[in-house]
Amino acid sequence: KDRGMLVMVDGAHGILAQELVLNETSLPCVDFYLGNGHKWLSCPRGIGFLYCPDPKLRDTILRLPAVISHGVGQGFQSRFLWDGCRDYAAALAVPAVLDFWEQEYDPARVRLEIQDKLSEAVALLKEQWHGATTEEDLGDCLLAPQNVHAPMMTLVKLPNSVQSFSSNSEDAKAVQDFLYDNFVEVPIKCVQGTLYVRLSCHVYNELHEYQRLADTMLRFPEKGKRF
């Protein structure tokens, strides 16, 4: 901001995953915040939002959306609202989703529950894939310390049997396809030549699902023995 730059936050995973307060006091340096509702908030697909507190930016950079709405010229919300034959069923479900989280679950308790469950899942994979039991060993199996990861996701190193000195995105795709063919859906990422699984956790996940991931991954053919 001191250099006169605009700041936009890609907050696709922000809602529910963290305590998010959208105002100029909590986010004094943020000009734009974009978020999705279909991820951790569990809204139907197609729900997202744009936050822009500065009226000047709304009437300059955001003056015209990519798809012109019937409400152009009638205010910030209207210019994005009516852009053709959109199905608004997903948007109409948002109040019910918010009521569910506020009445059935306390969002703060949800975050703690998910973090605890994710920690159990990470410990399970580390032990079964790497024999890691100490805190020092556990740290070696993560791309970054768990306390700096997103609250509901982390990257766990895949077993050494599938690694090589030249692992690449094609290797990641081969592993991900293998897991998918065995009814396990997780993203596999290659970071600086090392393969990781991007582990996610929500209130509906259970530990036996991560056990299935661990077992299935151990059946993946070793490097050089896949064909």
Side-chain angles (χ1 to χ4, degrees):
K1 297 297 289 187
D2 293 341
R3 297 177 181 269
M5 300 174 66
L6 296 176
V7 177
M8 183 183 74
V9 176
D10 178 0
H13 290 270
I15 309 178
L16 191 73
Q18 61 186 116
E19 186 176 358
L20 183 62
V21 179
L22 294 177
N23 58 45
E24 294 180 81
T25 301
S26 299
L27 299 174
C29 297
V30 174
D31 298 296
F32 311 98
Y33 189 106
L34 300 171
N36 283 332
H38 73 270
K39 294 181 180 291
W40 305 108
L41 194 62
S42 302
C43 289
R45 287 183 179 272
I47 293 301
F49 72 89
L50 165 63
Y51 167 74
C52 177
D54 188 342
K56 293 181 180 179
L57 294 177
R58 295 180 187 179
D59 293 332
T60 52
I61 294 177
L62 300 177
R63 184 174 62 88
L64 291 177
V67 179
I68 302 300
S69 169
H70 184 67
V72 166
Q74 300 179 34
F76 182 56
Q77 292 186 5
S78 293
R79 75 182 63 146
F80 291 92
L81 184 63
W82 197 262
D83 53 6
C85 299
R86 180 185 297 273
D87 182 355
Y88 287 92
L92 295 173
V94 172
V97 174
L98 297 177
D99 287 344
F100 171 80
W101 287 118
E102 292 176 358
Q103 297 175 12
E104 301 295 331
Y105 284 92
D106 171 43
R109 182 173 63 83
V110 167
R111 286 189 284 271
L112 290 175
E113 178 184 333
I114 292 175
Q115 289 173 28
D116 290 344
K117 194 180 298 185
L118 181 63
S119 296
E120 291 181 21
V122 168
L124 184 154
L125 295 182
K126 291 174 180 177
E127 180 178 1
Q128 299 201 10
W129 288 351
H130 304 285
T133 54
T134 67
E135 286 298 323
E136 183 176 355
D137 291 336
L138 295 176
D140 292 338
C141 302
L142 296 177
L143 179 63
Q146 197 164 344
N147 61 356
V148 301
H149 274 279
M152 301 175 175
M153 297 187 296
T154 191
L155 288 169
V156 182
K157 182 181 175 183
L158 292 184
N160 291 330
S161 60
V162 305
Q163 306 283 354
S164 74
F165 292 110
S166 58
S167 292
N168 53 43
S169 57
E170 291 184 2
D171 296 318
K173 184 178 185 306
V175 174
Q176 186 165 326
D177 289 347
F178 171 82
L179 292 171
Y180 182 82
D181 290 341
N182 285 273
F183 307 102
V184 177
E185 176 65 56
V186 288
I188 304 297
K189 303 296 181 182
C190 182
V191 182
Q192 297 182 337
T194 301
L195 299 177
Y196 296 86
V197 58
R198 193 189 78 175
L199 207 63
S200 299
C201 184
H202 211 324
V203 291
Y204 47 75
N205 287 120
E206 298 181 2
L207 197 60
H208 70 82
E209 296 172 302
Y210 302 99
Q211 181 65 62
R212 179 171 179 174
L213 166 62
D215 294 341
T216 304
M217 192 64 250
L218 291 175
R219 299 202 306 271
F220 186 78
E222 294 184 13
K223 190 77 172 177
K225 301 180 181 179
R226 299 179 189 172
F227 305 103

